[in-house]
Amino acid sequence: MLGLKLPTDPRWVNIAEKNIEDILIDHAWCEQKAASTAISLIVSFPEYTELVTAMNELVQEEMSHFKMVHDLLKDRNIVLGRDRRDFYVVELIKFFPKGGSREVQLVHRLLYAALIEARSCERFRLLSENLKDEKLRKFYRKLMISEANHYTMFLGFARKYHDEKIVNEKWSELLDYEAKILKSFEKGESVHG
Amino acid sequence: MLGLKLPTDPRWVNIAEKNIEDILIDHAWCEQKAASTAISLIVSFPEYTELVTAMNELVQEEMSHFKMVHDLLKDRNIVLGRDRRDFYVVELIKFFPKGGSREVQLVHRLLYAALIEARSCERFRLLSENLKDEKLRKFYRKLMISEANHYTMFLGFARKYHDEKIVNEKWSELLDYEAKILKSFEKGESVHG
């Protein structure tokens, strides 16, 4: 349903489980970055009123997730560590050429956001199905559903604001590219690593 | 109670009322910038757990205010315009020298935030007392109370995380500087202008 062309290597879950504190810290920063991305879309495209309304809601939802992860860290007496670069995202957003009309730039940013949500959704599903800790399994099941909704929303906005056929082509090419990035990565103790 | 050394020129309210659409758009961006500042404090100082918790709540509150202002714009069929530079803030954050320990950098950022909230609070009080539109008067009264709470929170964190005597001295110097900035400005159709 998410369209991803390469499923995550099942060994990732084992690495994640062994490094669950690193995963939680990285996850907190993923939520913060999702909130910042939504704010950035508001700042860059304020005249898209429906998008602004949706991004505003999204900021609040992502920060409520940040709080949930931060609370989990506090329960474990873990202090939130510094953010690390998300090389997956750094590589991903190199795909579309810079420039073009504002509308095309918006579409590219919406497709990047949709893909990051889709991959996060897939990873959270793996955590929700495989972690031994029941509380965490339920937690990731809940967040998996949110990520799926965000993925649908971003893709929907892209198709709404631009020619649907072109959007679908771009989306398909981005999915191919994402599979290549993922393949090139060592499995690591991060949400997208 | 806010400690501001220079009250706003009463003529500002008249200019604001005549340009209420510009004020609302500028106000929406003030809320967005307040949310972004709170996120930035989380990113820069993640190990201050209590601050992170408070800033997370603040992001959500500021974005709920952004929504309130955006809804007012939608009611008036106004599309949110692009953000403009807030020269008041640009000048304000030149005051403290760059560098110093992380703790001192944190204190400086908290004091800037406290002062921006204090000045916004004063401006919103003027709007809440003087606008002819009753709905807007009530709206600004509600937001004025929020800004006062944020001002208290930021100043409280500064005093909590650093020597209180030094913080009080820095605060007093910043208040003097802010009065000078404000005096040098033309009255304009923005929240801090």
Side-chain angles (χ1 to χ4, degrees):
Chain A
M1 159 237 170
L2 297 166
L4 298 170
K5 304 261 172 111
L6 183 73
T8 288
D9 186 321
R11 286 172 297 178
W12 174 80
V13 182
N14 300 329
I15 297 169
E17 179 142 43
K18 281 193 191 112
N19 300 279
I20 194 68
E21 299 188 352
D22 289 329
I23 290 287
L24 288 172
I25 289 174
D26 186 59
H27 177 183
W29 293 122
C30 288
E31 301 292 351
Q32 172 267 312
K33 276 177 267 194
S36 292
T37 296
I39 289 180
S40 161
L41 283 165
I42 292 174
V43 172
S44 300
F45 302 97
E47 74 274 30
Y48 290 76
T49 301
E50 202 185 327
L51 179 72
V52 168
T53 303
M55 290 302 106
N56 187 325
E57 279 173 29
L58 187 60
V59 175
Q60 302 206 46
E61 191 183 337
E62 303 289 12
M63 291 311 286
S64 79
H65 295 168
F66 179 94
K67 177 181 160 42
M68 287 159 75
V69 188
H70 194 232
D71 285 346
L72 284 174
L73 291 171
K74 286 195 264 187
D75 289 347
R76 291 161 186 253
N77 287 316
I78 303 168
V79 172
L80 181 61
R82 299 299 288 260
D83 186 21
R84 287 184 299 182
R85 280 188 93 184
D86 188 333
F87 289 104
Y88 166 82
V89 174
V90 169
E91 286 306 309
L92 188 71
I93 62 173
K94 289 178 180 167
F95 182 65
F96 292 120
K98 304 257 178 268
S101 68
R102 270 171 67 67
E103 196 177 290
V104 166
Q105 288 176 44
L106 171 59
V107 165
H108 291 166
R109 287 176 65 180
L110 292 170
L111 292 182
Y112 288 141
L115 191 37
I116 295 165
E117 298 281 358
R119 182 57 73 186
S120 304
C121 177
E122 189 235 12
R123 294 275 163 110
F124 289 176
R125 183 179 58 73
L126 289 172
L127 295 174
S128 77
E129 290 173 353
N130 293 292
L131 289 179
K132 289 181 195 81
D133 182 320
E134 195 194 341
K135 190 178 165 190
L136 282 183
R137 277 207 313 276
K138 282 189 183 165
F139 173 70
Y140 277 109
R141 188 168 162 70
K142 197 178 156 180
L143 290 201
M144 172 197 63
I145 295 165
S146 295
E147 306 298 83
N149 288 335
H150 302 162
Y151 149 80
T152 307
M153 176 186 67
F154 278 118
L155 207 51
F157 273 124
R159 287 174 177 148
K160 179 191 169 85
Y161 289 138
H162 199 59
D163 183 279
E164 195 168 329
K165 194 166 160 276
I166 295 172
V167 169
N168 290 342
E169 281 167 16
K170 284 177 185 284
W171 177 240
S172 176
E173 289 162 12
L174 184 62
L175 283 165
D176 287 336
Y177 174 72
E178 194 259 1
K180 277 185 212 139
I181 294 176
L182 208 70
K183 214 166 189 169
S184 72
F185 271 37
E186 294 288 325
K187 318 294 156 262
E189 55 280 6
S190 65
V191 173
H192 301 122
Chain B
M1 156 236 169
L2 297 166
L4 298 170
K5 304 261 170 113
L6 183 74
T8 288
D9 185 322
R11 287 172 297 178
W12 174 81
V13 182
N14 300 328
I15 297 168
E17 179 142 42
K18 283 194 190 109
N19 299 279
I20 194 70
E21 299 189 352
D22 289 327
I23 290 287
L24 288 171
I25 289 174
D26 186 59
H27 177 183
W29 293 122
C30 288
E31 300 292 352
Q32 172 266 312
K33 276 177 266 194
S36 292
T37 296
I39 290 180
S40 161
L41 283 166
I42 292 174
V43 172
S44 301
F45 302 96
E47 74 274 32
Y48 289 76
T49 301
E50 201 185 330
L51 179 72
V52 169
T53 302
M55 290 302 105
N56 187 325
E57 279 173 30
L58 187 60
V59 175
Q60 302 207 46
E61 190 184 338
E62 303 288 13
M63 291 311 286
S64 79
H65 296 167
F66 178 94
K67 178 181 161 41
M68 287 159 75
V69 188
H70 195 232
D71 285 347
L72 284 174
L73 291 171
K74 286 196 264 187
D75 288 348
R76 291 161 185 252
N77 287 315
I78 303 168
V79 172
L80 181 61
R82 300 298 288 261
D83 186 22
R84 288 185 296 183
R85 281 188 91 185
D86 188 333
F87 289 104
Y88 165 82
V89 174
V90 169
E91 286 305 310
L92 187 70
I93 63 173
K94 288 178 182 168
F95 182 66
F96 292 120
K98 303 259 178 265
S101 68
R102 271 172 66 68
E103 195 177 292
V104 165
Q105 287 176 47
L106 171 59
V107 165
H108 292 166
R109 288 177 65 181
L110 293 169
L111 292 182
Y112 288 142
L115 190 37
I116 295 165
E117 298 282 357
R119 182 57 74 187
S120 303
C121 177
E122 190 235 13
R123 293 276 163 110
F124 290 175
R125 182 178 59 72
L126 289 172
L127 295 174
S128 76
E129 290 173 352
N130 293 291
L131 289 179
K132 288 179 197 81
D133 183 319
E134 194 193 342
K135 190 178 165 188
L136 282 183
R137 279 207 311 276
K138 282 189 183 163
F139 173 70
Y140 278 109
R141 184 165 165 71
K142 196 178 156 182
L143 291 202
M144 173 200 56
I145 295 165
S146 295
E147 307 298 84
N149 289 334
H150 301 164
Y151 149 80
T152 307
M153 176 186 66
F154 279 118
L155 207 51
F157 273 124
R159 287 174 177 148
K160 179 191 170 83
Y161 289 138
H162 200 59
D163 182 280
E164 196 168 330
K165 193 165 160 277
I166 295 172
V167 169
N168 289 342
E169 280 168 16
K170 284 177 184 285
W171 177 240
S172 176
E173 288 162 13
L174 184 63
L175 284 165
D176 286 336
Y177 175 72
E178 195 258 0
K180 277 186 211 138
I181 293 176
L182 207 70
K183 214 167 190 167
S184 73
F185 271 35
E186 294 287 324
K187 317 297 155 259
E189 55 280 6
S190 65
V191 173
H192 301 123

